[in-house]
Amino acid sequence: MIKDIDNFLEQKKIRPTAMRILIFKYLEEQSVAASLTDIENAFDKSERTTLYRTLKTFEEHGIVHTIDDGSGINKFALCEENCNCEVDTDLHLHFHCNKCGETVCLTNHKIPHISLPDGYLAEDVNLVVKGICEKCSGK
Ligand SMILES: [Zn+2]
Ligand SMILES: [Zn+2]
Ligand SMILES: [Zn+2]
């Protein structure tokens, strides 16, 4: 948990507005990736476009990453503190549960180096493992 969110956002070159701090806190509290609708439901007085713009700002500054888990709805999760969203060093696996529909970051499981043919350059890798999560498997 980051204690001084103001300072953290400033370090990432984002002006720490009240709204941004609230959204950051919300994301920090989640153990699973959140969709825009989840976030909208948590902030009932906010406009969807404002929330979306905030998330995009976070994404551009390496605070949040989006996950395409195949459900057709992009989900958002906080990056690790020192993340630069670099393909070879920062990206981790995601797990999507077929039973409860939740998607989690497996931040300790980095995406293995992917070798591409000469002349190809990876800009983003989205690796989602699908199955049954810890909660649903009851283990
Ligand atoms: Zn990142
Ligand atoms: Zn599950
Ligand atoms: Zn993630």
Side-chain angles (χ1 to χ4, degrees):
M1 288 286 203
I2 294 165
K3 285 191 195 80
D4 193 347
I5 297 173
D6 279 54
N7 192 17
F8 179 73
L9 292 180
E10 269 167 10
Q11 271 175 33
K12 295 277 185 182
K13 312 258 180 293
I14 295 181
R15 198 160 48 84
T17 62
M19 189 68 201
R20 286 171 180 167
I21 290 170
L22 282 175
I23 294 176
F24 187 92
K25 275 193 186 146
Y26 171 82
L27 289 171
E28 207 175 32
E29 284 162 5
Q30 308 307 307
S31 57
V32 299
S35 68
L36 185 57
T37 306
D38 294 333
I39 300 167
E40 202 181 10
N41 291 340
F43 295 92
D44 47 46
K45 288 203 178 64
S46 316
E47 300 235 353
R48 198 175 168 93
T49 47
T50 313
L51 293 173
Y52 187 72
R53 240 184 291 131
T54 305
L55 290 165
K56 281 288 149 195
T57 307
F58 281 180
E59 193 182 358
E60 282 156 19
H61 290 80
I63 290 181
V64 153
H65 57 284
T66 54
I67 305 149
D68 176 0
D69 63 11
S71 64
I73 299 159
N74 274 340
K75 294 189 176 155
F76 301 88
L78 282 190
C79 286
E80 292 171 281
E81 235 178 294
N82 49 5
C83 177
N84 294 309
C85 295
E86 295 286 343
V87 170
D88 275 336
T89 50
D90 291 321
L91 300 185
H92 49 259
L93 296 185
H94 290 105
F95 189 93
H96 178 73
C97 178
N98 289 328
K99 210 165 171 187
C100 64
E102 287 184 342
T103 299
V104 293
C105 291
L106 301 177
T107 42
N108 292 328
H109 296 74
K110 300 293 177 220
I111 288 183
H113 177 75
I114 291 167
S115 47
L116 293 170
D118 282 349
Y120 288 80
L121 180 69
E123 292 185 325
D124 190 21
V125 182
N126 207 339
L127 201 52
V128 180
V129 180
K130 295 184 185 189
I132 308 293
C133 77
E134 196 187 15
K135 268 185 287 172
C136 295
S137 73
K139 283 188 184 144

